[in-house]
Amino acid sequence: INSIINNNEIFTIEHWNIILVGRKGVGKTTLIKYILDNDINIETYFNQDYIIYTSPKVKYLRLIEFKGIGYDNGSTPDNIKEKIKNYIEGCLKSNDENFHNVIHCIWYCISGERFEGPEKSLFYSLKKIYEDNTIPIIFVYTQSNDEDSCKDFESKMRENDHIENSL
């Protein structure tokens, strides 16, 4: 705490590490291109499970996109959950004294009008793992220009006590 208060360099965040997850075709890559101003560097590509994006224009972000639900036979909610969990655990074990690999949050990308079985399953699995809020899971609405339908969807989600604290 004293290091943080005294602005010690060890706690200086070089970039925010954000995981993006959601079903295939929900718009994760489009969102990444928009956020990074279409100036993308693919930093790492491992086993085709995830891609790490950076940009010289937006130096403070590192976006990690996991393969979408339904992308192929191996892209089930359980498999994706395990890959995300293993990735995060690997980051924590990396002996990174400056915390450059720490995952700051998960953006759970959903269509403004669609949140079906496999998507709910993955969300609940991730929420259960990080129920202590060590890594916040944030809904990001994609493919929707209709603010009212997004608000209706959010209201429906808040009716469910299991999700209320996540929104």
Side-chain angles (χ1 to χ4, degrees):
I1 293 176
N2 286 333
S3 294
I4 295 171
I5 292 170
N6 296 324
N7 199 22
N8 189 326
E9 281 188 33
I10 196 168
F11 289 100
T12 302
I13 296 175
E14 182 178 309
H15 50 255
W16 292 91
N17 295 305
I18 300 171
I19 289 178
L20 285 87
V21 66
R23 73 175 157 78
K24 172 188 169 211
V26 78
K28 296 180 299 294
T29 306
T30 302
L31 178 62
I32 289 167
K33 288 178 181 177
Y34 179 78
I35 290 170
L36 298 181
D37 200 20
N38 279 318
D39 192 4
I40 298 173
N41 294 328
I42 296 178
E43 182 179 311
T44 314
Y45 193 66
F46 289 105
N47 300 324
Q48 300 180 354
D49 290 331
Y50 59 86
I51 303 170
I52 299 175
Y53 296 94
T54 58
S55 170
K57 290 183 179 178
V58 188
K59 295 179 183 179
Y60 57 88
L61 277 180
R62 199 163 159 249
L63 302 175
I64 302 106
E65 176 188 18
F66 274 78
K67 192 184 298 184
I69 300 168
Y71 180 82
D72 58 21
N73 291 337
S75 299
T76 64
D78 285 339
N79 287 344
I80 293 170
K81 173 198 71 171
E82 284 303 313
K83 290 173 183 176
I84 290 171
K85 181 180 168 193
N86 291 339
Y87 179 83
I88 291 171
E89 287 174 359
C91 290
L92 294 174
K93 293 177 184 174
S94 69
N95 295 325
D96 182 4
E97 293 177 3
N98 293 321
F99 303 101
H100 293 302
N101 289 320
V102 170
I103 300 301
H104 296 95
C105 68
I106 297 172
W107 286 356
Y108 199 101
C109 298
I110 56 173
S111 169
E113 301 172 5
R114 193 171 158 193
F115 191 61
E116 299 173 341
E119 293 168 296
K120 285 182 181 180
S121 173
L122 178 58
F123 172 77
Y124 286 123
S125 296
L126 291 171
K127 186 177 181 319
K128 186 173 184 176
I129 293 171
Y130 304 109
E131 66 188 347
D132 59 357
N133 288 323
T134 51
I135 300 177
I137 302 171
I138 300 166
F139 278 120
V140 176
Y141 298 104
T142 60
Q143 300 178 344
S144 178
N145 294 325
D146 182 5
E147 188 175 335
D148 290 335
S149 67
C150 289
K151 285 181 180 180
D152 289 343
F153 179 80
E154 184 177 339
S155 294
K156 289 176 189 173
M157 296 299 286
R158 286 187 185 277
E159 289 174 9
N160 184 338
D161 289 339
H162 300 289
I163 297 179
E164 184 173 346
N165 294 327
S166 300
L167 297 176

